[in-house]
Amino acid sequence: MFSKVLVANRGEIAVRVMRACEELGIRTVAVYSDADKHSGHVRYADEAYNIGPARAADSYLDHEAVIDAARKAGADAIHPGYGFLAENATFAAKVGESNVKWVGPSADAMERLGEKTKARALMQEADVPVVPGTTEPVESAEEVKEIADEYGYPVAIKAEGGGGGRGLKVVHNEEEVEDQLETAQREGEAYFDNASVYVEKYLESPRHIEVQILADEHGNVRHLGERDCSLQRRHQKVIEEAPSPALTEDLRERIGEAARRGVKAADYFNAGTVEFLVEDGEFFFMEVNTRIQVEHTVSEQITGIDIVKWQLRVAAGEELDFAQDDVEFDGHSMEFRINAENAANDFAPAPGGKLETYDPPGGIGVRMDDALRQGDDLVTDYDSMIAKLIVTASDREECITRSERALAEFEIEGFHTIIPFHRLMLTDETFCAGEHTTKYLDEELDKSRIEQAVEEWGPAASSSEEDDEDVTERDFTVEVNGKRFQVSLEERGAPAISVSGNAKSGGSGGQRPPQAQQNDDGGDDDVVVEGDGQTVEAEMQGTILSVNVSEGDEVSSGDVVCVLEAMKMENDVVAEVGGTVSQVLVGEGDAVDMGDVLVVIE
Ligand code: MV4
């Protein structure tokens, strides 16, 4: 086994890999850019090297800088995580040449599967169903039309180097062929330095199903079941789960075996993912991802197999020690990507900010993969995903209720996250029924429901709309007849005042600055209290059961002025100070809001 591994990545995946190293007794080396000087992966590692400026091209993507750090550290292997250099065959080859082990497939296998038409031909050869279409690049509009005539419109024109929806053009009729072909070629050239394109029959509403593979250098290939990643927004996955709610046992078995066959035919080793489109009970190969993926976690949860540890063992030459039949699937798991984005504003990434509160959930079935701590500054240079919540339970139904519980526990303050969006999905009929396809978020979900969810579960909406009105909100913990209540009091038209100076939480006689007070229920029974009397206020919403004082009465501190029924309990409202009752503003049976003035004592 290796003695020291450099992790050429950042954030949660760097920490994930280091955790596996830790358990295997391997020392860990972090690399970081100027933007990540204080990031979690640097904190976690045994040693760390600055590899350049914030710009990824000058740091995390700089081949020489990464290899140089490995040399300085004396690392014997490099794990690339996902993204950055993970699928760069040139870099993988360079690592090998520098006598450091690449924790991943061979550069040759990466190349074989990186070009889409090559991969399609290879899979077809291995008897893996591919989407009907070409296994050779096409050059002319005539060729596209011929294929479309054979399979029928719509067809997809895809860039050879494509991925993530870039360089994918859908053609609905003959008139669109010329333009779309040109666009696909142009995008392929611009994004992937490769103008070559090919054509497939376009499936209108497929599910995205991918199979996790582990393979060693001795010819053993195992699959760890499928993941369903159909819930995507603009080609970004948001929730992934295993197993898929859309597969029959028979389809599951066939798709898993097809993935094994394909990977075996490619002479592939290490971890990998074979992606499929599934529609009407049929599955079609789409592409292979030659790296660990963000959502590997859900496969780990239902199989109990540590995929990252196996990546390291396989790279060190070890043989997989379990047969396909030994892989047992147990329960259901969902991964929620916690992105710092505002779902109500087209998922705009947070502009930055400090993690003022970070209090992740715990308890049975809850796994957090993250790299941050409360107080950290948000690093927005690379990715908006700040953490992953992975929830596991005995079946999908329990997984959904457990996920609702876990997401409700999750407290993050300082910027928006997509937690409200996840909570919406867990109440969404289509998602809960497991009937969503890859089109669902972009084409079917009503946007106003997202806005509602953010309003309901997002960061307290107080600031922006109400700031100009001088609203001070103060939180109190009160015990009423031994029961604990958390209340927030809103004070309108008042200068900000500190809690310690003015809060009187026990009774209802909180002192206000000597100026006109106004309650804020917006109703027609607004009360203006003149002068500098002591107000007795309702400390929660409820109903007045009885009023025990009249105007002109003398009261002493501790006297009951009225009884308020709230939350099914009768609460005595007492005077905090003695004096003369100058105003009684409520009567028996009145409904009052928290903060309403009940009685004034001069
Ligand atoms: C397709 C397809 C339908 N038919 N190919 C999108 C990303 C790229 N890697 C492949 N993609 C698709 N290819 C054929 N022949 C539909 C998609 C697609 C999609 C696939 C997986 C997950 C989400 C998606 C959203 C839109 C389109």
Side-chain angles (χ1 to χ4, degrees), residues 5-58:
V5 169
L6 180 144
V7 183
N9 216 299
R10 63 180 303 283
E12 69 86 18
I13 192 61
V15 171
R16 168 72 191 90
V17 172
M18 290 180 204
R19 283 179 165 146
C21 291
E22 198 69 39
E23 292 180 23
L24 290 169
I26 302 170
R27 294 183 59 75
T28 56
V29 183
V31 291
Y32 62 97
S33 72
D34 288 344
D36 275 328
K37 282 184 179 165
H38 308 290
S39 289
H41 71 289
V42 177
R43 217 161 26 213
Y44 195 94
D46 293 323
E47 54 189 293
Y49 294 81
N50 184 318
I51 52 165
R55 206 168 76 101
D58 302 329

Side-chain angles (χ1 to χ4, degrees), residues 328-340:
E328 284 179 26
F329 302 96
D330 193 14
H332 199 97
S333 189
M334 288 185 180
E335 176 180 274
F336 301 87
R337 297 186 183 206
I338 309 301
N339 297 345

Side-chain angles (χ1 to χ4, degrees), residues 140-212:
S140 71
E142 284 320 305
E143 288 173 85
V144 177
K145 287 175 192 169
E146 273 172 38
I147 296 152
D149 285 340
E150 189 178 345
Y151 301 113
Y153 288 96
V155 295
I157 305 178
K158 294 185 170 186
E160 181 80 86
R166 289 186 301 184
L168 166 73
K169 293 291 141 196
V170 183
V171 185
H172 299 93
N173 53 55
E174 202 175 313
E175 284 69 52
E176 293 178 357
V177 169
E178 219 126 332
D179 278 359
Q180 295 291 62
L181 175 63
E182 215 174 281
T183 311
Q185 289 170 329
R186 192 157 24 81
E187 286 186 10
E189 179 67 44
Y191 294 130
F192 315 107
D193 236 3
N194 184 351
S196 180
V197 300
Y198 63 104
V199 182
E200 285 178 358
K201 166 82 190 144
Y202 185 72
L203 308 178
E204 305 249 32
S205 203
R207 293 190 68 116
H208 175 121
I209 307 286
E210 55 184 36
V211 177
Q212 177 68 53

